[in-house]
Amino acid sequence: MTDLNLSIAVGDYDRMRPLFNGDIKIDGVDPVFLRLSPEEIFFRAFRHADFDVCELSLSSFAVKTANGDCPYVGIPVFPSRAFRHTSIYVRKDRGIESPADLKGKRIGLPEYQLTANVWARALMEDEFGVAPRDVEWIRAGIEEPGRPEKIKLNLPSDVKLSDAPDGSTLSGLLRSGDIDAMIGPRIPSCFGEANRVGWAFEDPRAAAMDYYRRTKIFPIMHIVGIRRDLAEAHPWLAATLVKAFSAAKSLCAERLSDTSATKVMLPFVEEQVHETRKLMGDDYWSYGLNANRHVLETFLHHHHAQGLSSRKVDPEELFDPSTFESAVI
């Protein structure tokens, strides 16, 4: 028998590279890897289901799962996670000392339903009492005009969302002062210019560490999905992919901890790995449903409350049932 030939589209992450270079094999699979940007993967996956296996926006996936029309079934592998304290950018001349001061402000965003923005709004509401209805939302591309939502939305009537003027960008609007703040997964080019645009948090890293100590939430941005028809035709595939992705992540963590030579082009990596383990434990980038149930429940609660999912989705609905447990030796 020949191995199953599959296209696998994911970002070029260190936790994926043991798969790219063949150090970790996927049992029974002959993979063709496409290393693409998240924006391209998501657009092609949700518009055309272009890939057999791919990285997917957790928010878009939850929208489609709630509607019952998602072409992919998930596995509890999380290629992208990030604390979103660095995703809230503000004009420093508007008296915004903390996210609590964003009430009544005009805030730009590239897409309302982006996972990073769901988490940022959850943070604003849970920690600072600023609900989505308390601000005016302006939608545009961060650096290029004319960015639409990938998925049709049906937002609550009290949410004020409008498109920016034709030809404008969020970075331009923030630079000119036509908006007071922006939330999004990418840093705007106007950040730091003449000290006019900066983070809402004076020390976002310290704020995120404090948030984790209190909540034990390390926000999930992306999951991995398998085209539903493939998962149904090959019941062994979902658990097999979890096994391979998990092995690649473990090898990545082992290499990152090798102090003989720094593996990434960033000073103080060894110290940060040590500090992260002290705060979050050895498996600080965990995969699996059970280890991440509370994170997923928090996200899915806010996703529905923000009007993005048509009903409250349970974490189990996101994943192939074969991935709920694994063999133990």
Side-chain angles (χ1 to χ4, degrees):
M1 292 179 62
T2 59
D3 288 345
L4 184 63
N5 185 247
L6 296 180
S7 60
I8 302 178
V10 291
D12 189 8
Y13 310 126
D14 57 357
R15 49 254 181 220
M16 297 295 171
R17 287 179 197 142
L19 293 166
F20 298 157
N21 62 27
D23 289 341
I24 299 295
K25 305 292 185 183
I26 307 174
D27 297 337
V29 171
D30 178 17
V32 176
F33 288 106
L34 297 92
R35 283 171 269 193
L36 305 173
S37 71
E39 290 89 345
E40 180 176 355
I41 296 172
F42 303 162
F43 180 85
R44 293 172 63 180
F46 287 116
R47 291 293 180 92
H48 309 293
D50 275 354
F51 315 109
D52 297 325
V53 178
C54 63
E55 183 176 354
L56 294 170
S57 155
L58 177 57
S59 178
S60 299
F61 189 79
V63 170
K64 302 288 280 182
T65 299
N67 293 342
D69 61 357
C70 188
Y72 291 91
V73 62
I75 60 174
V77 167
F78 311 117
S80 177
R81 307 182 73 140
F83 292 102
R84 284 310 178 186
H85 295 70
T86 54
S87 292
I88 307 175
Y89 307 93
V90 301
R91 289 278 308 196
K92 289 295 189 180
D93 55 359
R94 300 293 165 87
I96 303 171
E97 301 298 328
S98 86
D101 299 319
L102 290 171
K103 193 171 286 191
K105 302 297 187 182
R106 286 165 53 88
I107 303 179
L109 38 64
E111 290 181 53
Y112 195 85
Q113 65 87 35
L114 289 183
T115 308
N117 293 344
V118 177
W119 279 115
R121 287 190 297 267
L123 180 68
M124 289 164 58
E125 184 166 17
D126 287 350
E127 301 280 305
F128 299 96
V130 182
R133 64 179 177 275
D134 294 332
V135 304
E136 181 182 356
W137 302 101
I138 308 298
R139 180 173 50 205
I142 298 176
E143 305 295 344
E144 298 179 31
R147 178 171 175 173
E149 298 278 354
K150 285 187 290 293
I151 291 177
K152 185 178 179 180
L153 304 179
N154 184 23
L155 299 178
S157 58
D158 60 358
V159 172
K160 301 179 287 292
L161 172 66
S162 60
D163 290 329
D166 289 344
S168 58
T169 66
L170 294 180
S171 187
L173 293 171
L174 198 55
R175 178 181 289 113
S176 65
D178 289 304
I179 56 176
D180 304 295
M182 180 198 116
I183 62 173
R186 291 184 182 271
I187 191 167
S189 59
C190 63
F191 181 81
E193 289 183 0
N195 295 318
R196 288 178 298 185
V197 177
W199 282 312
F201 292 91
E202 189 66 31
D203 187 341
R205 182 168 179 264
M209 293 174 72
D210 174 68
Y211 173 78
Y212 182 83
R213 287 189 190 98
R214 291 183 289 106
T215 67
K216 296 297 183 285
I217 290 174
F218 181 19
I220 293 168
M221 299 294 126
H222 306 161
I223 67 171
V224 170
I226 309 169
R227 228 178 52 231
R228 194 171 294 275
D229 59 335
L230 272 172
E232 292 171 354
H234 306 285
W236 54 270
L237 183 57
T240 297
L241 287 169
V242 171
K243 175 185 173 183
F245 280 113
S246 298
K249 175 178 72 81
S250 295
L251 183 55
C252 169
E254 179 183 326
R255 289 171 172 171
L256 190 63
S257 300
D258 180 359
T259 60
S260 61
T262 303
K263 303 300 184 296
V264 296
M265 197 172 65
L266 186 68
F268 312 116
V269 171
E270 297 167 22
E271 296 90 333
Q272 290 191 56
V273 169
H274 175 76
E275 190 173 6
T276 298
R277 283 180 167 162
K278 185 177 179 181
L279 174 67
M280 302 173 69
D282 289 340
D283 191 15
Y284 50 84
W285 197 294
S286 61
Y287 292 169
L289 171 60
N290 290 332
N292 291 280
R293 180 179 296 277
H294 67 298
V295 180
L296 293 164
E297 286 177 341
T298 300
F299 177 85
L300 293 169
H301 162 75
H302 280 283
H303 196 265
H304 178 57
Q306 291 176 20
L308 294 170
S309 43
S310 58
R311 61 179 179 83
K312 176 87 162 27
V313 175
D314 292 326
E316 286 86 354
E317 296 181 66
L318 300 175
F319 306 115
D320 188 288
S322 69
T323 65
F324 292 169
E325 57 185 2
S326 59
V328 176
I329 299 175

